[in-house]
Structures are given as structure tokens and as C-alpha cells.
Amino acid sequence: MTSASTGLIDRYGRRAVDLRVSLTDRCNLRCSYCMPPEGLPWLPKQEILTDDEVLRLITVAVTRLGVEEVRFTGGEPLLRPGIVGIVAGSAALTPRPKLSVTTNGIGLARLAVPLRDAGLDRVNVSLDTIDPERFAAIALRRRFDDVIDGLSAAAAAGLTPVKLNAVLLRGINDDEAPALLRFALAHGYELRFIEQMPLDAQHGWSRDQMITAAEILAALEAEFDLSPDPAERAGAPAETWLVNGGPAKVGVIGSVTRPFCGDCDRTRLTADGQVRNCLFATGETDLRGLLRGGADDEEIAARWRTAMWGKLPGHGIDDPSFLQPVRPMSAIGG
Ligand code: SAM
């Protein structure tokens, strides 16, 4: 088999059907494990894909490359003025992809209904603490109430299941795993913990400081009965457990200590039109230049296939030669 086959396959037999599209590298929070307090040198406007360009690339991915699901992310995707139109354009495609957004939730009180009406199916909202003071200490902004309001708005709009993403940081919120799960259960949200990854702009990550999946599970098991979820994982990054016999679930995304690269089905597009075949890739493939140079859809599709064909078997965090990507998480699209 070669990279000329139809879908986004790689030489290890994986097929990418889940596209993460970053709509901006900017964010209205400054979570310590992601971005420095002063922010970052943002991408120049002329380098960022226009709404039409984003839609063109999503169209190529869905209609020519077998992408089945599109997740909008960033930066903070709700800061992108054109997000409702981009969602509507994506929802109009045949076959219609599943559409979701990963957000800090701050804009959802305003945007949940317009996004649902445009065709959005679901939201993932990041929430690392249920303590407003801790929230301000981690994110350097007093926006806790806005996130909580956003969550309620998403649930009321039917953007369900509403999933919560939490990152635990040693000495800061690592005592909150059970409280976060209680909060999620009380509101009908599905909680997933994400192991902290070496993707911060400040390069402050260290393996011995990160809270591991095993630690998270031990903390939860002190209060809840967890049993393995019988549902098939099917490429999903989170390993899930039934809570107290179910149907409620909790997930752990153990990217560092329990990597799932062998089942990875993701391809990523940055806000400036670069394909990344892995969150941790050190190289990228430029689609913006091709697009702006007048390439047709099949030329773009061919370059995207070639980019994915070269995907490495694993992220290599445990390899002594591991190099953190130059682009931080906020500019890749988490
Ligand atoms: N602004 C949106 C949000 O808050 O969800 C989308 C982008 S954000 C980069 C996506 C997710 O990545 C968030 O859940 C965030 O907590 C997580 N994240 C950021 N940096 C991380 C890191 N170094 N390790 C693990 N997760 C990280």
C-alpha cells in the first residue's frame, strides 16, 4: 500500500478519521501549564487561514480523505469571530461529519445556541478546579463563573454529552480528583482527566512532577467504585471506567504513562494551515501555501495523504532523544 490510497493512512496501518482544526492560537486564559502570563507572539493575521480557506480544507478532508469527525480547538476557538459560519459550512458537507468543539467554556453562554443551530453536536469544556480562587490562580483570570454558566448553557442547548477535561498539577489541584468527579456526576457531565504533557511554551513540564494516570485512579478509587467500561475504546484517547456500576463514566487520558499511539486516528490542522500528523510531531506540512498558490482539491488531498503517511509509530516521550515540538499546545490545537 502507498500514500496514494484514498484515505489518510500511514505505513503502520492507522487511518486518520478525526480532524482537529485549530481556529486561533489566541486565548483569554493563561493556564500556567499551557501559556506564559504575558501570552505568546501570536500568529500574524495574514498567516491565519480565512474562514473560506478553513472550510475548503475541511471540505477536502471530509469529501476526499475520509475524515468523519471535526473538532474545533485552539487557542480558544470561541474567540474566532467566524466560528458559527465555519460550523454551519462543515455541517452542510456530505457525508456530514460529527462536529464538536474543545473550549474553556467562557463564550458558551453566548454561543451555545447559535453553535447548536449551526450544527454543532457536542462540546468538551476544560475545567481543572471547582474552586473559583484556584481557578484564578491557575488560569490567571477571574472567569470561573463564566465557565460554569457556559457549561449550563451547553447542556441546556443539548450539546451533549458535555465532557469536562481536567489537568491535575502537583501541589496546586491534585487533591481535587474526587471533587471534580462529584461535580461532574451532579451535573450529568462526563469527566476526563488529562495527564500533563510536555507541550507548554515555557518548557516547565517534568516527568517527576506530573500527576500520573495511576495516581488519578487511586485518588478516585478512594471514594468511588470504578470498573472497566465494557464499551469499545475505538481510537478514543480516554480509557474509561464505570462509576459505581454506571451508567456514569470517568475517563483518563494517559498520554504519557499509558500512550495510545497505536490506535491514534487523528490528523491536525493549525490555524495557519499546517498539517501535523501528531501532537508531538517536530515537522509540519504546509497546506496554506498550496491553497494560496492555486492548487486544486486533489493536489491538496495528495499532500495531506503524504503528510500522514510519514506519521511515526509513537510520540517518543520516553525516548532519551525526545524533543518537545517548537509549537506549544496553544498554537497546535489541543
Ligand atoms: N482553549 C480550549 C480549552 O481550554 O479547551 C482549547 C485548547 S486547550 C490547548 C485544549 C486542552 O489542552 C485543554 O483541556 C487544556 O487543559 C489542555 N492542555 C493544555 N496544555 C496542556 C499540557 N501541557 N498537557 C496536557 N493538557 C494540556
Side-chain angles (χ1 to χ4, degrees):
M1 210 179 292
T2 71
S3 66
S5 303
T6 337
L8 291 174
I9 53 167
D10 66 42
R11 65 189 80 201
Y12 302 97
R14 293 168 296 191
R15 195 168 148 248
V17 291
D18 181 349
L19 169 62
R20 306 286 160 109
V21 179
S22 173
L23 292 180
T24 176
D25 58 330
R26 292 172 187 249
C27 193
N28 41 5
L29 296 181
R30 292 288 181 273
C31 302
S32 59
Y33 55 88
C34 189
M35 213 186 259
E38 66 278 14
L40 290 165
W42 311 122
L43 291 169
K45 188 163 192 292
Q46 66 278 12
E47 289 182 15
I48 294 185
L49 299 179
T50 64
D51 294 356
D52 287 346
E53 288 172 336
V54 174
L55 262 176
R56 167 115 185 263
L57 293 181
I58 292 173
T59 304
V60 169
V62 170
T63 62
R64 291 176 184 261
L65 296 170
V67 161
E68 296 166 1
E69 176 160 9
V70 181
R71 166 93 52 89
F72 299 101
T73 179
E76 175 44 46
L78 301 190
L79 293 180
R80 172 104 183 197
I83 186 170
V84 173
I86 293 172
V87 168
S90 305
L93 294 173
T94 307
R96 184 199 187 284
K98 283 187 247 162
L99 298 169
S100 58
V101 66
T102 297
T103 168
N104 60 32
I106 289 172
L108 279 176
R110 179 174 58 89
L111 283 168
V113 168
L115 284 170
R116 180 213 51 207
D117 291 348
L120 193 74
D121 298 309
R122 252 190 0 84
V123 292
N124 282 9
V125 177
S126 302
L127 183 67
D128 301 329
T129 174
I130 51 160
D131 175 341
E133 292 307 315
R134 279 192 181 176
F135 183 95
I138 294 170
L140 301 187
R141 301 285 187 272
R142 294 204 160 271
R143 305 299 299 269
F144 178 79
D145 291 346
D146 296 321
V147 177
I148 300 301
D149 292 349
L151 280 166
S152 308
L159 293 172
T160 51
V162 171
K163 294 192 181 175
L164 291 182
N165 290 342
V167 176
L168 296 183
L169 307 166
R170 198 169 297 286
I172 296 176
N173 62 343
D174 55 338
D175 56 350
E176 266 198 75
L180 279 160
L181 183 51
R182 262 182 261 126
F183 171 84
L185 295 176
H187 292 86
Y189 306 143
E190 203 174 306
L191 174 65
R192 297 118 44 96
F193 293 93
I194 309 177
E195 276 183 346
Q196 191 188 354
M197 296 178 275
L199 285 171
D200 57 315
Q202 310 88 304
H203 291 235
W205 180 89
S206 85
R207 173 113 200 189
D208 34 299
Q209 278 304 305
M210 61 166 279
I211 304 290
T212 63
E215 286 177 272
I216 296 164
L217 289 168
L220 293 175
E221 279 171 334
E223 190 171 322
F224 301 94
D225 173 42
L226 302 186
S227 49
D229 181 2
E232 204 190 324
R233 190 168 170 185
E239 267 180 89
T240 49
W241 284 263
L242 299 179
V243 181
N244 297 336
K249 296 178 185 188
V250 65
V252 178
I253 303 180
S255 317
V256 179
T257 65
R258 300 157 93 118
F260 37 88
C261 303
D263 293 324
C264 180
D265 63 357
R266 275 167 286 290
T267 181
R268 296 172 185 274
L269 182 65
T270 64
D272 56 345
Q274 311 299 304
V275 167
R276 298 180 61 89
N277 59 23
C278 171
L279 199 47
F280 295 93
T282 48
E284 303 181 335
T285 298
D286 179 33
L287 295 188
R288 186 190 67 224
L290 205 58
L291 191 75
R292 292 186 180 171
D296 66 22
D297 285 358
E298 194 40 49
E299 287 171 277
I300 293 170
R303 186 164 301 174
W304 204 327
R305 284 188 200 104
T306 305
M308 294 309 293
W309 183 250
K311 183 175 172 114
L312 294 177
H315 57 42
I317 293 176
D318 280 330
D319 193 295
S321 64
F322 174 74
L323 276 183
Q324 183 171 333
V326 174
R327 252 188 218 263
M329 177 77 127
S330 57
I332 295 172

